[in-house]
Amino acid sequence: MTTPRHILRVVFALSALACSVILVLFVRGRAEWSDAFWLQLAAASSVLCAAACVVAFRDGRLRLDGVPMLRFVLVFLRELATIYIVSGVAVTAIALAVIYGVTRSGANALALAVLAGLWLSLWLAPGIASFTTWRRLRSATAGDIRQPARP
């Protein structure tokens, strides 16, 4: 059984949509939550997501051809776990610096930074893992026949 061709594109698109909603809420979160706000949120998030997908999918990127399902699942889960941990630590460190700079309270800043790092990484990691999985699977299938180095 082979992996569906566009599975990584679907995962990336959903991750990009979630991240664009979070970004728009972060930028406009203090606005009044009226019907117009929600329509603007949906429109802005859709435009950001579509732009990210156009850039990410050009030239046939994130498309799998003939990859066994088991190999895909093993590679994707390993990449997802790695990316989640790395992005969680990175977002936590950035959030800790920003929040501590504002509040000057170490315990509160650490608690909020860890929460932000773990939560934001849930939405960010699948999109990045899609790229790293695609690159790893593409290099494994395309890299079987390597060209000798030129002198």
Side-chain angles (χ1 to χ4, degrees):
M1 178 177 195
T2 60
T3 305
R5 288 180 85 177
H6 300 292
I7 189 72
L8 290 176
R9 289 180 171 193
V10 170
V11 171
F12 179 85
L14 291 173
S15 177
L17 181 62
C19 290
S20 65
V21 167
I22 292 168
L23 177 65
V24 172
L25 281 174
F26 181 74
V27 171
R28 296 207 17 116
R30 292 192 176 244
E32 181 182 338
W33 288 13
S34 62
D35 290 340
F37 169 79
W38 293 110
L39 289 174
Q40 290 172 355
L41 172 73
S45 298
S46 298
V47 167
L48 287 172
C49 179
C53 289
V54 165
V55 171
F57 301 160
R58 67 178 177 212
D59 298 330
R61 284 188 243 165
L62 295 179
R63 187 173 42 201
L64 299 175
D65 291 319
V67 176
M69 182 65 83
L70 182 62
R71 174 150 172 75
F72 166 74
V73 168
L74 292 175
V75 171
F76 184 72
L77 289 178
R78 184 180 56 218
E79 293 295 322
L80 184 62
T82 303
I83 297 298
Y84 179 74
I85 291 168
V86 169
S87 65
V89 169
V91 171
T92 299
I94 292 168
L96 180 62
V98 170
I99 295 168
Y100 183 76
V102 172
T103 65
R104 298 287 182 207
S105 172
N108 291 340
L110 181 61
L112 191 56
V114 168
L115 183 64
L118 295 177
W119 184 76
L120 288 174
S121 294
L122 282 175
W123 309 112
L124 185 62
I128 298 171
S130 296
F131 262 103
T132 58
T133 299
W134 174 72
R135 290 186 62 163
R136 186 164 299 233
L137 291 174
R138 184 187 62 157
S139 67
T141 57
D144 291 340
I145 303 171
R146 298 192 184 256
Q147 298 293 328
R150 295 186 180 203

